[in-house]
Structures are given as structure tokens and as C-alpha cells.
Amino acid sequence: KQEVTQIPAALSVPEGENLVLNCSFTDSAIYNLQWFRQDPGKGLTSLLLIQSSQREQTSGRLNASLDKSSGRSTLYIAASQPGDSATYLCAVRPLGYGQNFVFGPGTRLSVLP
Amino acid sequence: EAQVTQNPRYLITVTGKKLTVTCSQNMNHEYMSWYRQDPGLGLRQIYYSMNVEVTDKGDVPEGYKVSRKEKRNFPLILESPSPNQTSLYFCASGQGYYNSPLHFGNGTRLTVT
């Protein structure tokens, strides 16, 4: 059964720092991996989607990498800002029809001004 | 604006009183899904639909029903709500199942007393 973990569970950094969030999954048989952001009381916003054949994706200050064979993904946030404060979740889409998305528990990020 | 719309945002009800949470998307997406989010348990999939008239159970389908009569709508029905269904519910949609990002609604916070 696919399991997704995220480390750390919470992170607090001063504004301007570069930071890395980690996501690990147990089964490498996936279509893709997606990173989301969730603000308190809100839904999830898609940040980056990495297909299984890709190594990384970039959007602005965000860069996500995927190492499928080792079951790892990282989300790199450059020059963090207070507006980046949120919970970040990763999710994998397992291979096979009808396989449910599997979400990690999230990393709660606080960027201090 | 492309979006997934859930209603209501907040709902307080009593045990056994049937309710429906609506979900509508305006992106012509084929795939739609319902999740519940609980502290310590993360996001868990309730039901999903690969296309019109095609629905299937997720990880926690007990006590819920869905229907997909039209492409844009995917209501979640609780025939006889119980307190253990108190949760934050999210609807999500995607262009296809395999290689497209998920788009989430803003959530429905349900309290069953």
C-alpha cells in the first residue's frame, strides 16, 4: 500500500531564507506527484505537478524535484516571504485504474518577517 | 474564472437528517472526487468519478453517496449523518485522471451533533 510522509511536520524560518520541504513515498509505481499549498480554512492550491518521467518542475521561486527510484521529492522555496506561510502537501497518483490519490500529512511553514 | 464551487461553506446539522453538499466545476473536467480532511488523519478520498455516470469508492466511502449525472456536478449525499462524519470536506476535479493537476474547492465544514 502506498504511503506518503513529509518531513518536517512544521518549520519556522526568517524571511529571505531558502528552504527545502521533503516528501517520501513507499511505492515508485506512480503517474505523477503534485505539490499543493493550503491556507487556513481554505482549499488546496496546486503548485507544481511532476510527471513520473520528469526530474523537476519550476514555477517562479518554487522548484520541485522527483527521484522516483528512491521515492523522494523535494520542494525548494527561494527567498521565502511571509506570504509563503501555509501548509504544503504532496500527493502521489499511483499507477493503475482506480488507484486513489495518496496525500502526505503536510508541512506547516511559518515565515517570520 | 475557472473554479470548483462547493456549497455550503459551513453546515451544522443533527444526527440522521439527510443532507447534500453540492460541487460544481466550470472547467469541463472529466475527473471529480470528494475528500475529507481530519486532524491527524490528513486527506482521505471518499468517492471519485472518472466521467459521467461512472463513480467508484475511495478509501472511506461508508455513510456517503454520490452521483454524476452531468459532467459539471458531483454532489455528496449523507443519507443519515452521524457525529463521526463531522469533518472538513473538499471537492476536486481534473481534466483527466492520469496526467493533469487536481483543482480543489474551498471546502465545506460540516458539524453533526
Side-chain angles (χ1 to χ4, degrees):
Chain A
K1 180 185 174 184
Q2 179 75 267
E3 293 184 359
V4 180
T5 55
Q6 292 185 246
I7 294 173
L11 182 62
S12 185
V13 300
E15 182 177 4
E17 271 204 9
N18 303 323
L19 57 99
V20 175
L21 307 180
N22 297 291
C23 172
S24 297
F25 48 97
T26 56
D27 189 342
S28 63
I30 63 171
Y31 281 111
N32 54 53
L33 182 145
Q34 193 166 357
W35 281 94
F36 295 90
R37 166 190 174 133
Q38 184 175 22
D39 294 286
K42 297 284 185 66
L44 282 70
T45 301
S46 178
L47 297 174
L48 290 164
L49 174 72
I50 311 177
Q51 306 296 351
S52 62
S53 58
Q54 297 175 320
R55 298 283 294 180
E56 66 179 310
Q57 281 286 332
T58 298
S59 177
R61 295 183 293 108
L62 305 179
N63 176 277
S65 67
L66 175 64
D67 184 343
K68 200 174 65 162
S69 61
S70 67
R72 293 179 184 174
S73 176
T74 61
L75 179 66
Y76 175 82
I77 302 177
S80 58
Q81 303 170 357
D84 294 329
S85 298
T87 297
Y88 291 80
L89 298 97
C90 67
V92 297
R93 190 174 296 188
L95 288 176
Y97 180 92
Q99 293 295 316
N100 299 331
F101 288 87
V102 182
F103 282 81
T107 293
R108 190 170 66 251
L109 173 66
S110 297
V111 181
L112 307 174
Chain B
E1 179 188 353
Q3 59 185 0
V4 179
T5 303
Q6 291 179 233
N7 282 298
R9 288 295 311 278
Y10 303 92
L11 180 57
I12 300 174
T13 190
V14 297
T15 299
K17 186 175 181 182
K18 180 180 178 180
L19 65 92
T20 299
V21 183
T22 64
C23 174
S24 181
Q25 49 92 5
N26 62 1
M27 296 170 278
N28 202 35
H29 284 169
E30 293 183 350
Y31 178 86
M32 297 186 75
S33 181
W34 276 102
Y35 293 86
R36 61 179 289 174
Q37 188 176 36
D38 303 287
L41 297 176
L43 273 159
R44 294 178 292 168
Q45 192 173 51
I46 303 171
Y47 270 94
Y48 64 96
S49 169
M50 302 287 277
N51 212 326
V52 176
E53 301 292 0
V54 180
T55 63
D56 210 342
K57 297 177 181 178
D59 294 319
V60 288
E62 295 78 18
Y64 304 94
K65 285 176 59 177
V66 293
S67 68
R68 188 92 182 271
K69 294 186 171 63
E70 314 165 89
K71 199 174 203 179
R72 63 183 292 124
N73 295 322
F74 191 45
L76 179 70
I77 303 158
L78 285 72
E79 295 269 3
S80 183
S82 62
N84 65 11
Q85 292 178 298
T86 292
S87 186
L88 180 58
Y89 291 86
F90 290 105
C91 180
S93 72
Q95 177 58 42
Y97 175 75
Y98 300 105
N99 289 320
S100 57
L102 273 181
H103 300 266
F104 279 78
N106 280 334
T108 295
R109 186 166 293 281
L110 172 65
T111 301
V112 184
T113 61

